[in-house]
Amino acid sequence: MAKEVIKKDGTKEHFDAEKIKNSIAGAAIRTDLSEERRSEVVGRVASSVIQMAQGKEEIATSEIREKILSELDVIEPAVAQSWRKYEEEKREV
């Protein structure tokens, strides 16, 4: 499993699967999905990202983001849309 995440500014921090789950859950909560479906989506997507990180020493946040969004586009596009909308709003501030 990747030990470190390389952030956009080049800094590194410890790989934390909980941060990935929390990010996905944050996007999912802004949709009208049931709590059960949100939990299922978070579990499936986080598992996929963690699996991708297996065998790597480091992984870029951009790579994690792309994996999350590609998975969400397939299994729950509303959550992917929520994620992108949040990023857009964050850039405007």
Side-chain angles (χ1 to χ4, degrees):
M1 169 98 57
K3 292 184 172 101
E4 292 187 306
V5 174
I6 304 168
K7 300 181 80 166
K8 193 177 353 181
D9 66 3
T11 60
K12 295 179 182 181
E13 69 178 46
H14 180 71
F15 182 88
D16 184 354
E18 283 304 309
K19 280 182 118 175
I20 291 167
K21 292 176 185 174
N22 291 340
S23 296
I24 300 163
I29 204 146
R30 292 187 297 273
T31 66
D32 61 356
L33 298 177
S34 69
E35 187 173 332
E36 183 178 328
R37 177 63 178 155
R38 286 194 311 258
S39 180
E40 179 185 330
V41 168
V42 169
R44 282 180 59 187
V45 175
S47 176
S48 180
V49 172
I50 291 165
Q51 187 175 23
M52 177 188 73
Q54 296 286 353
K56 296 185 179 194
E57 285 295 310
E58 299 178 333
I59 189 167
T61 54
S62 59
E63 191 176 350
I64 293 170
R65 177 190 175 276
E66 288 305 314
K67 180 65 171 175
I68 289 170
L69 288 173
S70 68
E71 291 289 321
L72 288 174
D73 282 338
V74 172
I75 66 167
E76 199 56 70
V79 179
Q81 182 179 7
S82 171
W83 181 297
R84 289 181 176 105
K85 183 178 180 194
Y86 173 79
E87 286 183 333
E88 190 174 307
E89 290 169 353
K90 195 172 156 186
R91 275 193 299 266
E92 292 174 0
V93 172

